[in-house]
Structure formats: C-alpha cells, structure tokens
Amino acid sequence: MIRVFRTLLMSSVLVSAGLAAGHPAWAQGIPEGGAPSDGNTDTLDTITVTATKSGENVYDALSGSSVIGRDQVQTQVQPGSVSDVLRLVPGVTTQTDASDPGTGVNVRGLQDYGRVNVLVDGARQNFQREGHGANGTFYFDPEMMKSVDVTRGPVSTVYGSGAIGGVVSFTTIDAGDVLRDGTHFGGRVKGVWETNGPAPLIHGEVAARPSDMFDIVGAATLRRAGDFTDGNGNTVAYTAQDLTSGLVKTRIRPADDHEITLSALRIGNEFDGGLSTIYGTRAVADTFTAGYRYTPPDSSFWDLSAKTYYTTTDVRQRALTGRDAGGFKDFSIGTFGVDLFNTSRFDTGTLSHQLTYGGDFFQDNVETFDSYGTSAQLTPSGERFVAGAFIQNKVNYASWLEVIGALRYDSYELTGDNTETKGTRLSPKITVGVTPWEPITFYATYAEGYRAPALVETLIDGFHPPPISTGRFFPNPNLKPEIAHNVEGGVNLRFNDLLQDGDQLRLKVGTYRNRVDDYIEQVFTLFPLPGGYQYQNIAQAVLRGVEVEGTYDAGTFFVGLAGSTVDGKNTRTREGLKSVPPNRISGTIGFRALDGKLELGTRITAVGEKRDAEEFGFEGDAYALVDVFASYKVNDDVTAGLVVQNLFDRQYVQYLNIYPNPGMTAKASLSIRY
C-alpha cells in the first residue's frame, strides 16, 4: 500500500505540473427550497459535495451534479418514498416493487450491484438480492432527509470504488434543522393524510443545544399505508406497507477546530407481497456512523475528515401461500467501512492548488438462509473486501481556467464457496473548465471507473424456485470487473438581474458518452447441458445522453426545468440495454403571494416510450403526468401544505416496474414547530 500511495502521489504531482485552473465564480443563486431573494431572505446556490468532496456551488461544479433540499421536497412533493424525491433529478430514475418499499437507483442507465454508490450520512448501502426486481435496493425514510446530493457518471473518483453510474448521497437532519438560532430546545410535529391508500403519517423531531459545544436531535416516523388504486380505479393488491423509523444524531465540539458526529438510523418496514408465492416480510435497515472533522482556521494544510460506519439490512420472509407455506427466508448483509481524506491548499507561483488525498475501504458480509434451500443458492453467502486510495488536485489560474486531475487505485477480493477472486486497477480523471465570460463556464471531462463483480453475480448457483421453472443458474468465478471510460462536456450559466432587478437564472446543460468494457449481464448459455442462466462479461456497452437542469426565479414567480435522454446498446449484438430508462422531461412553474407566505404551482412530466429491450420482456409506454402543489406559512411556526400527484388519474406503469403506479393521490400536511 505504501508503494501504491507513493505512485499516486508522484502521478498527481506530474498531472498538477501541467494544470492550470480558474477560481470558480461565487454567485447569488437559488436556495435549497427554491425560494427567491425577495429582500427578506439572503440566498446562496446549493452546495454539492459529491462532485469533489470539498464542496462547491452546484452551478459552478464541472460535472453533472444536482442537490435537492428538504424545503423543496416538503413543499412541492410531500414524498411517500425515495422515488418521489429522485424523480426531480435529471438522468436519475428508480426501480421499485409496489409491494416492497426498497428502492433501486438508476443513474444514466446503470443500476444494481453497486454501479450507483448510494450513501446515507456517508455510509454505503450495499444490500443486494437476486430476484425479479432491482438487484440492489435500499430502505430509507424521506422524512429524515436534510438533502440529497447527486453526481452523475464515473467522475466522483473521491467517493469510493464501483460508482461507474454515479453517486447518490443522502444527508439526514441535524439539530440545526429543528432549532432556531439562539434557542436551546425545540421540536417539530408533522402530520400527513394521503388519500390513495389511505396513508396517515405522523413525524416528530426534538432537539437540544445546551451550548455551542454540543447538540443532539431525535426523530421518529410512523406511517400506515393501505392498498392503493391505479389510474383505472382498480385496487392493486399487496401494496399496503407499514413504516417505523427512528434517528438519533449528536455533534460534539470539544474545541473550535474539532467536531465529532455520531448517528444511528433505523428504518423498519413490514409488508406482504410476491408473485407465485405471497410472503410476509419484515425489512430492517440500520446505519451507524462516527465522524471526525479537524478544520483549524489558521492552517491551509489541514482540512481533515474521517468516518467509520456499519450498515446492515436484514430482510426476513415467511411464506404465506403455496407449497412452501410456513417456510422462512432470511437475507442479511452487513457492511463495515472507513473513509479518510484531507484537503491541503497552497500556491505555486500563479497557480492555486486544492489537493485532496485519502483512502477508503469496506467489507460486505452476506448471510442467507432458506428453510427449503433454494434462495440461499441464488443469493449466496460470502465476503467481499474493497479498498482504494486517491489523490486529486484542483488547480486554479486567474479567473477563467480550472483543471482537476485525479487518480484512484482500487483493489478487491471476493470469497465464497471454494471461490476466491481478486483484482486491482488505477483509474485516471481529468477535467478542464473555461470561463470566457463571468456568468458562463464550459467544461470537459475524461474519467474512468472500476466496478468489481458482486457476490451474487459471481457465486449464484441453483434452480429457480417452484412452481415456476426457468432453468438453472450457474456461477461464474471468472467474471472480470467492469471498466468505464466516460467522456462528457457541458456548460454552466449563472445570471443575476437578467430581466429585472433581483431575478436569477441558473442552467446546466451536459452531454456524455460512457463506454463500459466487460459489462456484466445475465445471459442464457447452452453449456453445461441442458443450459441455463449465468452472469457473463459481454464485450462492451455504450451509453450516451443529454441532460438539462435549470431554474429562473423572479421572486413572485419561478420556473424549473429538468430533462434527460439516454440511449444504451450492447455493442456486440446492437441490442438495447434493459436497464436504460426512457427519455424524460419535466417543467415546473410556481407563484408566490402574501409576502412569500403562499406558494403554489404545477409540475408537468412527460416520459417517452421504450421499445428496444422487448426481447428481455421489458417495454414502456409513453405517458404524461400533472402534479400541483400549494404551501401556506400561517406564521413562523405553522405551515400547511397540499400536494396532488397524477391530477388527471393517468393509468401508467413506470418502466422496469411490474405493477401500475398509483392514480390520483392528494396529500394534506400540517407542520408545527415549537
């Protein structure tokens, strides 16, 4: 490891010597919740951390990055699931089972088995299970969300191995989200009534800040959802779900330069569902984190962050019907990880450097049990250890040029029944940004990513559970890692006082081409006889697309736009990739009145059809949805809201999902802070 780090350091110095970059513009912009600067509120552009780990404005970031804040979500969406939140982000979609609240995240047509690195408070969510739905899901309560930070593509070298699709990082609330400045104790109670289910929800938060050295927050949610009806008015069976969640987070500041953060989050879901067999399921996801920051204000060398975490997801099922009635299954994965990095800032002549370097590792331990033995073979037990080190230099020159050079070293080792595989690789990244005029920045990036095979992909072995027989599944200990070669470019626009005093325009437009060598996909093989299914490296997959995201805010009204096109092909067969979602665009227009206390608007979303994966049994029809939202701030402590989704009761099935989506759903909420 010493030799590896020495190689990384020397390589970074060589890269940095030829780089020059400009200080990014720091402009007033649209806040997390989308509220304008109306003379009463000072606003700044939201900050993305996943782009470079050092934090920068979204519309300055030289990448496809987006941040969705709590205020925007609570006002415009009132989410009942993670999918309600992520559909606001261009290039991002989800795969869900209507009877299972677990969510699979898809970024730019890549999902499952760690292709998208999903984090909660910096802790990886690595649960994977072979099945008919997404083969990589996580459980989360959006009421606990402070913000979600998304960077698309394999450009987040500093955020760990495997993320050839991108990084989706959720941050949970802290005491500062509950307490007003200068107060020592307080809380918030929120109630929601959802008509299509129905689904009552109660959420509570309480926080204390006895001094500047210590604060703590506790939160809990209880949601009871019944079976919903689709756009045709038919009840979709087995869509009822019970959610119970709890969060405790504390921050300790023993001195001005030091901060310790401890958090514990539990998400518990209970639901019934299945295809040929109905199972009663309890899914429990725990996330424990311990973080440390050292940020002395008088030092340009130290900006240190260290985090260790342990996450576990345990899904226990009891068969309620069929030949296996009374039988039990248990799928459990525990992930222990460490993430350590530091950022040093210094100048060499006319160049200003922001050098970030560090390392990380995690270990997955998968344990499965099936009283009838079948599912334990299809989701086999085993261990996977992944480690890496990185160095990144962001170099600034004058105010018009910025260059980021980075290298990441990855290694992995996977062990199971009589199987052991391992591998290593060095992945580079180079980004160039040019700002010819202060409000406009052009950028281009070349980045590589590396994803080690998952335990399921390598070790799966057995037959499909009865009564449906689709043949044998074969292991493949010779699977090679996937290697992504991503080229992308774009433009960021940041205009103030464009059409009138105080208005703001922010816009990001980008295009990309991501070539994934040794792409892993499940295919049918004739040998060994009588044949069956196996995960194999297909020669190459190429994904390309365009993304646009922007907003214009004039105070009394605002307009938002988010859209993406994605096309993906298996270059060997020229067939479409089943994981590539259809094209999508959404537009939002809203108005504010009564000194900003009242906000109301509508969002229209159009989704194209999907036909190039029909041979896999997947296709999608085009559809359009209309949502409306309204929020009224009664006073500083009381807010009432109303959101109506699928206003015209459209019947549709989101691509990759099996069941239809809900028809018209109204959500009324009341939030009281004390």
Side-chain angles (χ1 to χ4, degrees):
M1 182 59 74
I2 294 176
R3 284 200 301 267
V4 170
F5 185 80
R6 194 177 293 151
T7 301
L8 288 173
L9 183 58
M10 292 176 63
S11 301
S12 177
V13 172
L14 291 174
V15 171
S16 304
L19 300 183
H23 295 284
W26 187 273
Q28 289 288 317
I30 293 167
E32 215 167 62
S37 178
D38 57 5
N40 300 319
T41 306
D42 293 326
T43 64
L44 287 174
D45 287 330
T46 50
I47 302 298
T48 173
V49 177
T50 57
T52 61
K53 227 168 192 176
S54 56
E56 56 189 326
N57 292 332
V58 168
Y59 290 95
D60 288 333
L62 307 182
S63 60
S65 298
S66 305
V67 176
I68 303 296
R70 191 186 200 197
D71 291 342
Q72 178 184 356
V73 166
Q74 297 285 349
T75 300
Q76 299 183 11
V77 181
Q78 202 54 253
S81 67
V82 172
S83 296
D84 289 339
V85 177
L86 293 181
R87 68 188 178 95
L88 301 176
V89 183
V92 179
T93 186
T94 57
Q95 182 179 358
T96 59
D97 183 333
S99 64
D100 186 337
T103 303
V105 181
N106 183 305
V107 178
R108 291 182 173 178
L110 292 171
Q111 70 174 71
D112 292 341
Y113 299 125
R115 292 185 178 103
V116 176
N117 186 0
V118 178
L119 308 169
V120 174
D121 286 337
R124 295 180 72 112
Q125 308 296 306
N126 283 359
F127 180 70
Q128 299 163 8
R129 178 175 57 152
E130 180 71 14
H132 293 280
N135 294 321
T137 59
F138 78 109
Y139 296 87
F140 187 67
D141 174 13
E143 292 296 330
M144 300 297 183
M145 190 190 90
K146 177 188 182 78
S147 65
V148 58
D149 187 346
V150 178
T151 292
R152 300 175 287 277
V155 298
S156 293
T157 310
V158 295
Y159 262 88
S161 178
I164 63 174
V167 176
V168 176
S169 178
F170 291 86
T171 301
T172 58
I173 59 172
D174 53 43
D177 298 303
V178 181
L179 300 176
R180 297 185 183 278
D181 292 340
T183 61
H184 300 292
F185 181 81
R188 188 174 78 106
V189 176
K190 175 186 174 184
V192 179
W193 177 259
E194 186 174 335
T195 61
N196 194 353
L201 176 147
I202 184 71
H203 173 79
E205 303 162 359
V206 61
R209 183 169 49 206
S211 72
D212 291 339
M213 297 177 60
F214 174 80
D215 63 50
I216 187 170
V217 63
T221 303
L222 183 67
R223 182 174 185 260
R224 297 288 182 261
D227 292 336
F228 66 72
T229 58
D230 60 21
N232 291 331
N234 299 318
T235 299
V236 182
Y238 301 111
T239 56
Q241 302 167 4
D242 290 344
L243 165 70
T244 305
S245 67
L247 169 71
V248 177
K249 180 187 284 189
T250 182
R251 293 184 296 185
I252 305 167
R253 306 173 188 85
D256 291 341
D257 303 343
H258 306 269
E259 180 177 278
I260 300 169
T261 303
L262 306 172
S263 69
L265 172 68
R266 165 163 284 196
I267 309 295
N269 291 103
E270 294 186 9
F271 51 93
D272 296 342
L275 293 177
S276 57
T277 300
I278 303 302
Y279 293 94
T281 302
R282 175 167 174 77
V284 178
D286 291 325
T287 300
F288 305 97
T289 69
Y292 169 72
R293 289 292 308 275
Y294 177 57
T295 55
D298 56 350
S299 172
S300 60
F301 180 82
W302 289 109
D303 187 350
L304 178 67
S305 176
K307 175 161 288 187
T308 183
Y309 60 86
Y310 179 72
T311 64
T312 179
T313 300
D314 185 44
V315 176
R316 298 184 178 183
Q317 297 184 308
R318 182 171 64 89
L320 304 178
T321 64
R323 62 182 293 274
D324 294 342
F328 286 89
K329 298 180 180 181
D330 188 15
F331 305 88
S332 178
I333 180 170
T335 302
F336 172 74
V338 173
D339 185 5
L340 174 68
F341 69 94
N342 184 58
T343 298
S344 300
R345 298 169 175 85
F346 57 93
D347 296 332
T348 57
T350 59
L351 304 179
S352 298
H353 300 260
Q354 185 173 286
L355 186 68
T356 302
Y357 44 93
D360 52 78
F361 73 82
F362 67 88
Q363 177 167 315
D364 290 333
N365 292 283
V366 179
E367 296 182 2
T368 60
F369 170 79
D370 184 349
S371 57
Y372 291 94
T374 304
S375 296
Q377 296 173 325
L378 300 183
T379 303
S381 300
E383 295 182 354
R384 183 176 63 150
F385 180 81
V386 179
F390 65 86
I391 189 162
Q392 173 180 276
N393 199 357
K394 179 180 177 181
V395 190
N396 298 337
Y397 174 74
S399 60
W400 63 274
L401 188 63
E402 176 181 328
V403 180
I404 304 171
L407 287 169
R408 179 175 179 85
Y409 171 83
D410 285 303
S411 67
Y412 79 94
E413 182 174 335
L414 185 152
T415 58
D417 293 337
N418 302 316
T419 299
E420 180 176 343
T421 63
K422 59 180 64 177
T424 62
R425 192 175 194 274
L426 192 65
S427 302
K429 167 190 166 181
I430 181 74
T431 297
V432 179
V434 178
T435 306
W437 309 281
E438 181 58 30
I440 302 175
T441 299
F442 299 92
Y443 69 88
T445 293
Y446 175 76
E448 295 183 5
Y450 181 76
R451 184 186 77 88
L455 283 161
V456 172
E457 293 171 308
T458 307
L459 304 178
I460 185 172
D461 187 7
F463 291 89
H464 190 286
I468 300 174
S469 179
T470 59
R472 179 73 184 269
F473 294 87
F474 299 107
N476 188 355
N478 298 316
L479 272 180
K480 301 175 184 177
E482 295 175 338
I483 300 174
H485 307 263
N486 185 69
V487 178
E488 65 180 275
V491 58
N492 298 337
L493 291 85
R494 309 165 299 274
F495 289 97
N496 296 327
D497 304 322
L498 184 65
L499 301 178
Q500 63 181 50
D501 290 342
D503 70 354
Q504 302 166 339
L505 172 67
R506 299 291 184 267
L507 183 67
K508 292 177 76 80
V509 180
T511 182
Y512 64 90
R513 183 183 186 273
N514 190 7
R515 189 190 85 227
V516 183
D517 294 340
D518 294 318
Y519 184 79
I520 299 173
E521 194 164 62
Q522 193 177 87
V523 300
F524 182 80
T525 177
L526 290 175
F527 300 99
L529 294 173
Y533 293 89
Q534 184 183 54
Y535 284 100
Q536 295 183 0
N537 296 105
I538 67 174
Q540 198 177 86
V542 174
L543 302 104
R544 56 172 60 89
V546 177
E547 296 163 347
V548 59
E549 177 179 21
T551 182
Y552 173 76
D553 200 312
T556 56
F557 73 94
F558 58 93
V559 178
L561 178 69
S564 57
T565 68
V566 190
D567 178 58
K569 292 287 190 299
N570 177 336
T571 58
R572 178 169 57 86
T573 64
R574 306 308 304 169
E575 298 166 350
L577 300 175
K578 66 181 181 181
S579 62
V580 174
N583 300 332
R584 185 186 68 195
I585 188 168
S586 66
T588 302
I589 183 168
F591 302 89
R592 301 185 184 93
L594 304 178
D595 295 326
K597 292 182 178 180
L598 175 65
E599 179 175 308
L600 67 161
T602 184
R603 177 181 297 104
I604 300 175
T605 302
V607 179
E609 67 175 12
K610 170 77 172 179
R611 298 295 180 215
D612 61 356
E614 289 177 304
E615 69 174 275
F616 298 104
F618 294 94
E619 59 180 358
D621 295 326
Y623 58 89
L625 303 174
V626 177
D627 303 334
V628 296
F629 56 88
S631 175
Y632 180 66
K633 192 173 183 179
V634 181
N635 54 46
D636 289 342
D637 298 319
V638 180
T639 301
L642 176 66
V643 173
V644 181
Q645 295 176 329
N646 195 1
L647 178 65
F648 296 108
D649 221 11
R650 177 65 188 266
Q651 172 74 0
Y652 73 103
V653 180
Q654 184 174 311
Y655 179 68
L656 290 180
N657 291 354
I658 298 174
Y659 297 98
N661 289 70
M664 188 185 74
T665 303
K667 304 175 184 180
S669 65
L670 182 66
S671 174
I672 302 173
R673 182 163 63 173
Y674 60 89

